[in-house]
Amino acid sequence: MLNKTYRSHFHWPLLGVTVALVFIGILNLHSATYNLARGETSPLLWSQITWLVIGTGVGVFFLILDYRILIRLAYPAYGVSLLLLILVVFFGKTVAGNRSWLVVGPLTFQPSEFAKLALVVVLSRYLSDHLKEKGGYGFVDLLLPGFLSALPLFLIVLGKDLGSALFFLVVSVTLLLFVGIRRQVLLFCFAFILIAGTTAYQFVLSPHQRARIEAFVNPGADPRGKGYHILQSKITVGSGRILGNGYLKGMHSKLLFLPEKHTDFIFPVLAEEWGFVGSMVVLGLYGALFVFGLEITRKARDRFGFFLALGITALLFWQTVINLSGVLGLIPLTGVTFPLLSYGGSSLVTILIGIGLLLNVSMRRFMF
């Protein structure tokens, strides 16, 4: 297992924050899925606990494994993730308008979740091998990392899962910005993304996806249709007031006014029952998680470890920000889940692998 030197450099605060958030996530999911009329615990809770056990085991494996092995496995792992995404395009299961699931016997999973981590690993490998000493990346330098990012993004867009596609974009941009990009190239890329986004709204988005944007701009125009989800989300968050209504006493979620309360809208359930104070405590724990991730990034002793820790921290940060901004009405709803709180085995396992790798980079920072 771990020798004395590794244990002495173990990042116990990060483990403590992770355990606290997992515990809060299970408690909150129990409340979100509890059948108040029958007094029954939902099977979804037991399913999530099963995935938690699996994810903890896999996370411990990636903690013990020397993370530098991923340097050799980066491109094969990326290739496997692309293969799974291609299978989704042809054989995937469609849920809520998004074709993003694969069904293999009794197992249903979302390959895009694992592809996020594969992208972080392969970009970490590429960027650590091609660091620019001066001037930053130009157009030619961006071709290969841009292609590595665009390929899974394109396959996910084919499945209409634009929330995950957005996620791939922001994580890739975050990593590339830390390498350094020439100013004129950065301005060109920003203009290109703006034009591509406008074109996508007109010709690529489905009516269901355009409705989400219209609901964001004016949710009150169709309160029983397009604007229903976001209006109910805001009402649920606001009903918690300062101290909340108490555990298992959130009536908006219990009376089924709030849709998708165990996945995309899990945070409003928390805010209704624990109020502003409880929400701030939980968000403070997420803030600590991001700070610890950046601290591990800063102290990493090799380039690959630096970019790996940075990419995983960006992955956690953007997933939290995108979900929270969506349910609070600050951006259009995207379908991105809240890390460690939302129901979902693929997401939970991916995040626990990421936490295991962060602890791995921290633990081995003095070993070479």
Side-chain angles (χ1 to χ4, degrees):
M1 293 294 285
L2 303 179
N3 61 37
K4 185 177 178 181
T5 306
Y6 286 160
R7 289 198 298 273
S8 66
H9 298 306
F10 193 83
H11 204 299
W12 295 104
L14 174 59
L15 179 64
V17 166
T18 304
V19 171
L21 287 173
V22 166
F23 181 69
I24 291 169
I26 292 295
L27 280 180
N28 196 48
L29 182 64
H30 171 60
S31 177
T33 57
Y34 185 70
N35 189 322
L36 197 60
R38 298 181 179 179
E40 293 178 351
T41 299
S42 170
L44 293 177
L45 180 68
W46 300 115
S47 173
Q48 185 77 346
I49 291 174
T50 302
W51 280 111
L52 174 60
V53 172
I54 295 170
T56 302
V58 180
V60 169
F61 173 77
F62 278 92
L63 162 66
I64 297 171
L65 189 77
D66 188 335
Y67 71 86
R68 291 172 296 173
I69 292 175
L70 295 178
I71 296 174
R72 294 199 301 270
L73 297 178
Y75 289 105
Y78 176 77
V80 171
S81 73
L82 288 182
L83 179 62
L84 291 173
L85 291 176
I86 291 171
L87 291 176
V88 169
V89 173
F90 291 101
F91 308 108
K93 177 183 176 183
T94 301
V95 177
N98 299 334
R99 184 186 294 174
S100 54
W101 298 86
L102 269 184
V103 181
V104 182
L107 182 66
T108 302
F109 64 101
Q110 199 168 7
S112 59
E113 293 292 337
F114 303 113
K116 293 171 185 173
L117 207 51
L119 178 66
V120 167
V121 173
V122 81
L123 282 181
S124 299
R125 163 71 191 274
Y126 181 85
L127 297 177
S128 60
D129 288 344
H130 299 83
L131 207 58
K132 287 280 183 181
E133 296 297 334
K134 292 183 179 178
Y137 274 31
F139 284 110
V140 176
D141 303 312
L142 283 175
L143 284 178
L144 190 51
F147 179 74
L148 290 171
S149 304
L151 205 50
L153 191 150
F154 173 72
L155 292 171
I156 290 171
V157 167
L158 287 180
K160 304 293 184 185
D161 186 2
L162 294 190
S164 294
L166 170 67
F167 192 76
F168 274 73
L169 179 65
V170 294
V171 170
S172 301
V173 169
T174 302
L175 282 171
L176 290 170
L177 285 176
F178 270 82
V179 179
I181 301 176
R182 294 172 191 165
R183 183 177 300 177
Q184 63 272 29
V185 177
L186 197 60
L187 290 173
F188 174 83
C189 291
F190 179 75
F192 176 79
I193 291 172
L194 198 62
I195 294 170
T198 306
T199 306
Y201 178 80
Q202 294 293 336
F203 302 106
V204 177
L205 297 188
S206 65
H208 167 72
Q209 290 160 338
R210 281 200 290 270
R212 284 185 172 184
I213 296 176
E214 291 164 8
F216 161 68
V217 175
N218 187 10
D222 188 8
R224 294 180 181 272
K226 298 175 183 175
Y228 182 81
H229 287 58
I230 189 59
L231 287 175
Q232 290 302 322
S233 176
K234 289 181 177 179
I235 291 170
T236 305
V237 171
S239 67
R241 293 176 287 184
I242 301 298
L243 297 176
N245 298 318
Y247 189 57
L248 295 175
K249 295 179 180 177
M251 287 300 105
H252 273 82
S253 56
K254 295 291 177 293
L255 297 178
L256 306 180
F257 289 114
L258 184 68
E260 308 295 339
K261 56 186 179 180
H262 62 297
T263 55
D264 303 8
F265 293 93
I266 195 73
F267 182 78
V269 175
L270 178 88
E272 184 182 25
E273 297 190 346
W274 298 99
F276 177 78
V277 173
S279 300
M280 287 299 104
V281 170
V282 173
L283 292 180
L285 289 173
Y286 278 96
L289 186 70
F290 306 144
V291 170
F292 294 150
L294 291 176
E295 180 189 3
I296 291 171
T297 301
R298 184 175 61 83
K299 293 181 177 178
R301 285 304 177 96
D302 66 338
R303 291 175 179 176
F304 179 75
F306 174 90
F307 285 112
L308 183 64
L310 177 64
I312 292 169
T313 305
L315 188 151
L316 294 168
F317 173 79
W318 284 116
Q319 188 165 344
T320 305
V321 168
I322 290 173
N323 175 277
L324 196 59
S325 300
V327 300
L328 295 179
L330 302 177
I331 64 171
L333 293 170
T334 59
V336 171
T337 56
F338 204 107
L340 299 176
L341 259 66
S342 292
Y343 172 77
S346 306
S347 173
L348 182 61
V349 171
T350 302
I351 289 166
L352 291 177
I353 291 173
I355 298 290
L357 287 171
L358 274 179
L359 291 169
N360 191 334
V361 174
S362 172
M363 193 170 60
R364 289 181 165 83
R365 66 187 188 276
F366 296 113
M367 300 310 297
F368 34 84

